[in-house]
């Protein structure tokens, strides 16, 4: 019997998995969310993603898609008559993809892109923290350029780049609280800060965010674990 | 490589590149598939032009495609842009498949080539000692076997015609033989990787790569230089 429907294999605290939920909800697609215990992965997850065994995985009518950024584009194309996630114009699409890569990827030659600059803020302490925060801010300032003159990265409404970068709006303040670092401030990143507030007010985002206290507790514990390892 | 000629003022396409870059050739192949005329500008990466620095200020890298005065950077982004901007052009057909699921699969293979396959190949080529070289070689072959299975009996990864995955892997068709010559070890043999072996020869002797390859002797010399550094 052919499997029908949409499943998301994710983890409640995963910023990559939540992108899929935002995209699916923008398209008004009904889906089943499977919350994985990453220390004890389900047979289903291992069957659908044998290569990397990672979340998130989208399964659409029995067919798996992996890599969150690829999945978001897939959602946009598979439900093409719904909310437009990618811009229509090829040049605008190229810009959205370029900035998404800048935010997400590590350049092969070691050129640090945004995620790679932000993660170290989580565990940096003492003197090293200042340098790490500065690097993260430089990356975010570059990214901020794509926001200039707009409400969202996608323009008047949320788009692909908002979904890719959106996790910063919720996770970064938590990282800041846990580590005591101050990264996204009104002085250093005014556009980014304002966008955080607008993004968090979007319905599909509000509906899906994990409980803050739970996320804060998880990250506090994780940081302690990493620092005493 | 100057394809200068008569252009309609708003149709001018320029490609900034270097003769030795496989990323530049990926873009050249894409433009060729679409029958797009372009002006090629050779950059000296040790002495980057003002144009390059202003067109790609973030990474300052080639390739950069300039269309109607606007730059597109990052080879994977450029290839998708070419496919979309010249959607109905070229007997070469679509570079990415039409079906959303097939598109997602193609994009996943591009990530595989970049993140999973390329590192061990580079490690094998640059390994300082025989033991490391052998270890890296086996790691690379393991990933090449995955590709072998994906290719199977098809002419190209995309089927009967060259597509996105072929373009992304294409440089390996001329780089691997050079690496093999320089290291004195084999990585793609007909015995272990018959389909991939045949694909390499087929890719190099078919459009679009057929008349668009870097000068291989010159490339070998530059690789020799890289290896002894």
């Amino acid at each position: 019997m052919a499997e029908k429907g949409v499943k998301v294999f994710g983890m409640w605290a995963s910023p990559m998995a939540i992108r899929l939920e935002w995209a699916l909800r923008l398209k008004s697609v009904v889906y089943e969310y499977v919350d994985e215990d990453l220390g004890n992965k389900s047979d289903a997850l291992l069957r659908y993603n044998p290569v990397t065994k990672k979340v998130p995985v989208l399964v659409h009518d029995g067919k798996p898609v992996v890599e969150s950024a690829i999945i978001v584009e897939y959602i946009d194309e598979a439900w093409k008559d719904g909310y437009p996630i990618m811009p229509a114009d090829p040049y605008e699409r190229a810009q959205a993809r370029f900035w998404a890569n800048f935010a997400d990827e590590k350049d092969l030659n070691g050129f640090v892109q945004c995620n790679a600059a932000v993660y170290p803020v989580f565990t940096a302490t003492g003197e090293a923290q200042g340098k790490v925060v500065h690097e993260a801010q430089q990356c975010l300032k570059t990214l901020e350029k794509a926001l200039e003159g707009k409400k969202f990265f996608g323009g008047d409404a949320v788009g692909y780049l908002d979904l890719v970068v959106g996790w910063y709006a919720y996770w970064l303040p938590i990282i800041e609280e846990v580590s005591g670092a101050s990264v996204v401030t009104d002085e250093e990143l005014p556009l980014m800060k304002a966008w955080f507030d607008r993004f968090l007010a979007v319905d599909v985002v509000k509906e899906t965010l994990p409980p803050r206290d739970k996320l804060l507790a998880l990250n506090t514990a994780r940081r302690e674990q990493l620092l005493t390892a | 490589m100057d394809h200068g000629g008569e252009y309609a003022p708003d149709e001018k396409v320029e490609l900034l590149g270097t003769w030795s870059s496989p990323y530049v050739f990926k873009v050249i192949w894409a433009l060729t598939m679409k029958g797009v005329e372009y002006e090629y500008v050779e950059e000296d990466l040790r002495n980057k032009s003002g144009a390059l620095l202003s067109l790609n200020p973030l990474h300052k890298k080639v390739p950069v495609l300039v269309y109607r005065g606007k730059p597109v950077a990052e080879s994977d982004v450029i290839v998708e842009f070419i496919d979309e901007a010249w959607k109905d052009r070229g007997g070469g057909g679509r570079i990415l498949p039409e079906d959303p699921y097939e598109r997602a699969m193609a994009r996943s293979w591009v990530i595989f080539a970049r993140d999973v396959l390329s590192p061990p190949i580079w490690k094998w080529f640059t390994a300082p000692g025989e033991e490391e070289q052998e270890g890296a070689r086996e790691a690379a072959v393991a990933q090449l076997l995955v590709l072998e299975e994906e290719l199977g009996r098809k002419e190209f990864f995309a089927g009967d015609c060259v597509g996105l995955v072929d373009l992304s892997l294409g440089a390996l068709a001329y780089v691997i033989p050079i690496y093999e010559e320089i290291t004195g070890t084999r990585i793609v043999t007909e015995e272990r990787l018959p389909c991939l072996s045949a694909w390499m020869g087929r890719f190099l002797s078919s459009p679009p790569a057929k008349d668009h390859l870097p000068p291989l002797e010159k490339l070998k010399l530059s690789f020799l230089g890289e290896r002894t550094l």
Side-chain angles (χ1 to χ4, degrees):
Chain A
M1 187 174 82
E3 215 183 297
K4 282 254 159 238
V6 181
K7 272 193 186 151
V8 171
F9 286 83
M11 187 263 178
W12 69 269
S14 162
M16 302 297 128
I18 210 171
R19 293 172 174 176
L20 276 58
E21 293 201 83
W22 294 336
L24 289 166
R25 284 171 187 247
L26 284 172
K27 297 283 188 181
S28 305
V29 171
V30 170
Y31 62 94
E32 184 192 327
Y33 187 87
V34 178
D35 191 25
E36 287 285 329
D37 171 0
L38 298 183
N40 184 21
K41 293 176 181 178
S42 70
D43 289 337
L45 173 62
L46 299 176
R47 185 169 26 102
Y48 285 125
N49 186 8
V51 177
T52 67
K53 307 178 178 56
K54 286 182 174 178
V55 293
V57 179
L58 182 83
V59 181
H60 184 196
D61 292 344
K63 298 198 287 190
V65 188
V66 301
E67 292 282 333
S68 58
I70 290 179
I71 298 171
V72 172
E73 276 217 62
Y74 170 77
I75 290 169
D76 195 37
E77 292 167 0
W79 287 277
K80 64 175 162 50
D81 298 324
Y83 183 98
I85 293 176
M86 287 288 278
D89 172 66
Y91 184 75
E92 297 305 316
R93 293 159 74 86
Q95 293 310 302
R97 289 181 183 127
F98 176 85
W99 287 117
N101 287 349
F102 173 67
D104 258 6
E105 308 296 352
K106 257 198 281 280
D107 182 280
L108 279 175
N109 291 324
F111 178 99
V112 170
Q113 316 223 82
C114 268
N115 276 7
V118 164
Y119 287 144
V121 173
F122 186 57
T123 48
T125 52
E127 263 177 53
Q129 196 184 72
K131 180 164 182 270
V132 157
V133 165
H134 178 76
E135 264 192 45
Q137 284 173 333
Q138 291 309 111
C139 270
L140 292 170
K141 280 181 183 180
T142 304
L143 193 56
E144 209 182 35
K145 294 199 184 117
L147 259 182
E148 271 163 20
K150 298 189 286 186
K151 274 180 72 175
F152 296 100
F153 287 99
D156 288 329
V158 161
Y160 178 72
L161 191 52
D162 299 275
L163 299 190
V164 168
V165 175
W167 72 281
Y168 288 158
Y170 196 65
W171 268 259
L172 253 181
I174 288 181
I175 290 173
E176 286 173 332
E177 195 175 319
V178 166
S179 65
S182 206
V183 181
V184 181
T185 61
D186 286 312
E187 301 80 46
E188 294 293 330
L189 291 152
L191 297 182
M192 189 69 59
K193 194 135 199 285
W195 170 77
F196 275 15
D197 292 334
R198 281 195 288 274
F199 186 75
L200 293 175
V202 171
D203 283 337
V204 301
V205 175
K206 277 197 303 208
E207 293 165 2
T208 50
L209 292 174
R212 197 177 195 276
D213 53 350
K214 208 177 162 194
L215 197 59
L216 189 64
L218 176 73
N219 280 291
T220 304
R222 197 179 271 162
R223 184 170 187 265
E224 261 178 53
Q225 205 179 35
L226 288 168
L227 288 178
T228 56
Chain B
M1 290 201 68
D2 188 351
H3 294 251
E6 294 290 310
Y7 301 103
D10 64 344
E11 289 294 332
K12 183 169 173 194
V13 179
E14 216 180 27
L15 174 64
L16 282 71
T18 53
W19 65 271
S20 59
S21 164
Y23 307 106
V24 169
F25 273 89
K26 183 165 43 171
V27 174
I28 289 173
W29 296 332
L31 289 165
T32 305
M33 281 176 75
K34 292 293 190 176
V36 175
E37 293 208 357
Y38 61 97
E39 190 185 312
Y40 178 81
V41 177
E42 177 73 24
E43 283 284 331
D44 176 357
L45 295 183
R46 291 157 308 178
N47 185 20
K48 295 175 181 179
S49 71
L52 177 61
L53 297 176
S54 77
L55 291 167
N56 187 6
L58 183 59
H59 297 122
K60 307 177 177 50
K61 284 179 166 179
V62 291
V64 180
L65 188 83
V66 187
Y67 179 52
R68 296 178 173 172
K70 299 203 280 194
V72 184
E74 294 226 350
S75 63
D76 290 331
V77 176
I78 298 172
V79 170
E80 291 223 25
F81 171 76
I82 290 168
D83 199 33
E84 291 167 0
W86 288 278
K87 202 164 136 175
D88 302 312
R89 284 275 297 272
R94 294 301 301 273
I95 298 174
L96 277 88
E98 294 279 353
D99 174 72
Y101 188 74
E102 297 305 313
R103 291 165 74 83
M105 292 302 102
R107 289 173 178 141
S108 298
W109 283 110
V110 172
I111 303 261
F112 174 86
R114 187 193 68 196
D115 291 352
V116 181
L117 179 63
S118 292
I121 291 180
W122 182 246
K123 263 210 179 111
W124 156 65
F125 178 61
T126 54
E130 219 177 279
E131 218 182 283
E132 292 99 326
Q133 191 185 78
E134 187 49 34
R137 201 181 68 86
E138 279 308 306
V141 171
Q143 301 311 332
L144 290 167
L145 284 164
V146 173
L147 278 185
E148 175 82 8
E149 200 185 314
E150 171 59 21
L151 177 61
R153 294 188 166 284
K154 294 180 290 184
E155 291 271 297
F156 298 101
F157 284 90
D160 294 329
C161 302
V162 166
L164 182 72
V165 179
D166 302 276
L167 295 189
S168 294
L169 294 167
L172 292 176
Y174 63 79
V175 167
I176 284 181
I178 299 178
Y179 281 4
E180 287 178 332
E181 220 183 298
I182 293 175
T183 61
T185 59
R186 297 292 304 282
I187 201 173
V188 177
T189 59
E190 271 171 42
E191 296 79 41
R192 256 182 127 176
L193 295 153
C195 302
L196 205 59
S197 197
W199 169 84
M200 282 167 64
R202 191 178 302 128
F203 182 80
L204 294 176
S205 57
S206 309
K210 194 168 91 126
D211 300 309
H212 299 91
L213 288 173
L216 297 179
E217 269 309 305
K218 201 175 166 190
L219 199 61
K220 182 176 159 194
L221 288 171
S222 86
F223 286 169
L224 276 165
E226 267 174 53
R227 197 164 181 255
T228 54
L229 276 170

